[in-house]
Amino acid sequence: MNSKPFVSILSPVYNGEKHIEDCIKAVLNQTYDNFEYIIVDNASTDNTPAIIKKYDEQDQRIKTFRNQTTVCMEDNCNVCAQHSSDKAKWIKYALADDYLFPDCVAKMVDVGELDEQIGMVSAYRMAGNFVTNLGLPIEQKVFEGSFILKRQILRKLHVASSSPNTVMYRRDVFLELRGFNNQYDHSDTEVAFRLLDRYKLGFVHYVLTRSGRDKGGGEYSSIMSGNKIREYLDFGYKNIRKYRSIVLDTNEIDYLRKYYAEEIADFIVLKLARMEWRHIKTMLQAVPDDIKEEMKKSLTGNPFHYAKRYLKSLRNQK
């Protein structure tokens, strides 16, 4: 009998014929050997079902399911978790267009088992050509969730989110929190904030995953539309009082207000240069009054900065 913790690896997929085979091979190539592999096809209309079936017939660890109708990605991720075995201690997402390196699960489980209060494990990741999730002391593997949460809310650290593909969740904790909130495209960050409010973070100081960051992709589109700013503003500023493990003092609140004011002002200047009025309107509707006042101070206090940003955006547009 295998004494290692049982892991449920989860792949939600929709019309993923270009990438799903590489994803499946990466999962089956894990050095960790005590896992099941759940694949949920979100009613794909391409060749995805045939690819999944081929591997399902070859490996008994694979369990496949198909939604009758297409649901949003966040809901399909939650469906995957609901299909995971009750004996699984950890759940690890392997997104269809991303990649797990061979020792990903093994290294994450090793760190996750260091402390029973760890609710999620993260690591460095390749995002396009860049390594992300940097900033933690390399000699430390276990961190208080409240410490990480506060640093992430203050936008001084970004190590416990980015993509479900980057992290591993303790199954009972993930289900306790009811998984991803489909109100957000950046639901992985939102659930990480809720989780860190109650549990510790384990961190592996190795690059264990790769995620795409292509132009036109989900993360790129979210940044360019301003949706990422609006969502962070919602769960990382407007509703900050719901986090019980942290308290921000007056100076920290002022810092965060100025941070968002400057970020939003830069965004609006970019969109003015591109004459993308809809994005500007949507952004301004989401901004609370105190940040709008701070934006006015920033714009009037540093007009040359924003004039240079505007002219640079015009040149880039041409």
Side-chain angles (χ1 to χ4, degrees):
M1 183 176 179
N2 200 321
S3 61
K4 298 176 184 177
F6 192 66
V7 178
S8 186
I9 303 178
L10 314 173
S11 284
V13 56
Y14 174 70
N15 285 354
E17 63 180 8
K18 292 182 179 179
H19 305 289
I20 187 61
E21 191 158 18
D22 289 339
C23 173
I24 293 173
K25 288 178 179 178
V27 170
L28 299 181
N29 196 36
Q30 289 297 300
T31 58
Y32 197 80
D33 59 3
N34 194 26
F35 69 87
E36 65 177 357
Y37 185 22
I38 307 293
I39 306 175
V40 178
D41 175 20
N42 199 9
S44 295
T45 57
D46 64 359
N47 199 42
T48 295
I51 297 171
I52 294 172
K53 183 180 179 182
K54 179 179 75 172
Y55 285 93
D56 185 28
E57 293 173 346
Q58 295 175 6
D59 197 305
Q60 62 182 5
R61 295 172 296 182
I62 298 177
K63 299 175 184 177
T64 61
F65 303 88
R66 180 178 170 86
N67 297 332
Q68 290 186 347
T69 58
T70 302
V71 300
C72 70
M73 181 179 177
E74 292 76 19
D75 286 347
N76 199 32
C77 286
N78 289 336
V79 169
C80 285
Q82 291 161 11
H83 283 303
S84 64
S85 170
D86 288 339
K87 68 178 183 178
K89 184 173 182 180
W90 299 96
I91 57 175
K92 176 72 191 83
Y93 284 94
L95 301 188
D97 55 349
D98 294 337
Y99 186 82
L100 306 185
F101 291 107
D103 55 352
C104 175
V105 175
K107 288 188 180 299
M108 284 191 159
V109 170
D110 284 346
V111 169
E113 293 297 307
L114 292 176
D115 191 317
E116 279 300 314
Q117 286 301 306
I118 291 176
M120 68 185 298
V121 180
S122 187
Y124 305 133
R125 73 156 178 163
M126 289 294 300
N129 295 322
F130 301 94
V131 176
T132 68
N133 292 0
L134 304 172
L136 292 176
I138 199 166
E139 69 277 1
Q140 188 175 346
K141 298 179 181 178
V142 181
F143 299 84
E144 291 296 329
S146 58
F147 168 77
I148 301 296
L149 173 60
K150 189 171 186 177
R151 299 284 292 174
Q152 293 225 164
I153 283 178
L154 289 172
R155 309 299 293 273
K156 295 181 178 182
L157 198 64
H158 192 79
V159 297
S161 48
S162 298
S163 166
N165 196 74
T166 311
V167 300
M168 183 176 72
Y169 304 100
R170 209 174 82 198
R171 182 179 182 271
D172 61 341
V173 170
F174 186 82
L175 296 179
E176 170 196 332
L177 296 175
R178 299 186 178 181
F180 300 111
N181 184 342
N182 65 14
Q183 176 184 347
Y184 302 107
D185 287 340
H186 296 271
S187 57
D188 60 300
T189 303
E190 192 272 339
V191 76
F193 281 18
R194 288 188 284 126
L195 190 152
L196 293 168
D197 195 35
R198 305 184 191 185
Y199 297 93
K200 295 180 181 180
L201 172 74
F203 195 87
V204 185
H205 295 277
Y206 288 90
V207 175
L208 298 181
T209 62
R210 185 184 68 211
S211 300
R213 188 178 273 180
D214 300 327
K215 275 198 172 185
E219 185 174 6
Y220 178 84
S221 298
S222 182
I223 292 170
M224 295 307 295
S225 69
N227 186 53
K228 183 174 183 179
I229 297 175
R230 293 194 302 272
E231 291 193 353
Y232 275 62
L233 194 61
D234 186 64
F235 56 69
Y237 185 80
K238 296 179 185 177
N239 295 299
I240 203 168
R241 287 191 176 90
K242 71 180 181 180
Y243 305 116
R244 299 180 181 180
S245 68
I246 64 166
V247 176
L248 268 61
D249 61 31
T250 303
N251 291 333
E252 289 168 333
I253 291 292
D254 288 345
Y255 166 85
L256 197 55
R257 185 186 300 115
K258 290 176 182 177
Y259 178 95
Y260 278 110
E262 292 173 3
E263 184 178 40
I264 294 166
D266 279 338
F267 174 82
I268 289 174
V269 167
L270 171 65
K271 295 304 172 180
L272 281 171
R274 297 185 174 193
M275 294 186 290
E276 294 176 353
W277 314 116
R278 180 173 58 86
H279 288 160
I280 295 173
K281 180 180 178 181
T282 303
M283 178 63 75
L284 290 175
Q285 288 173 340
V287 178
D289 291 339
D290 62 333
I291 291 183
K292 286 180 180 177
E293 288 301 316
E294 195 64 46
M295 284 171 57
K296 292 177 185 177
K297 295 178 186 178
S298 182
L299 289 165
T300 56
N302 198 0
F304 294 109
H305 165 77
Y306 293 107
K308 287 172 63 177
R309 292 277 296 174
Y310 178 76
L311 293 173
K312 182 179 180 181
S313 297
L314 281 178
R315 290 196 297 272
N316 290 341
Q317 185 72 1
K318 291 178 182 179

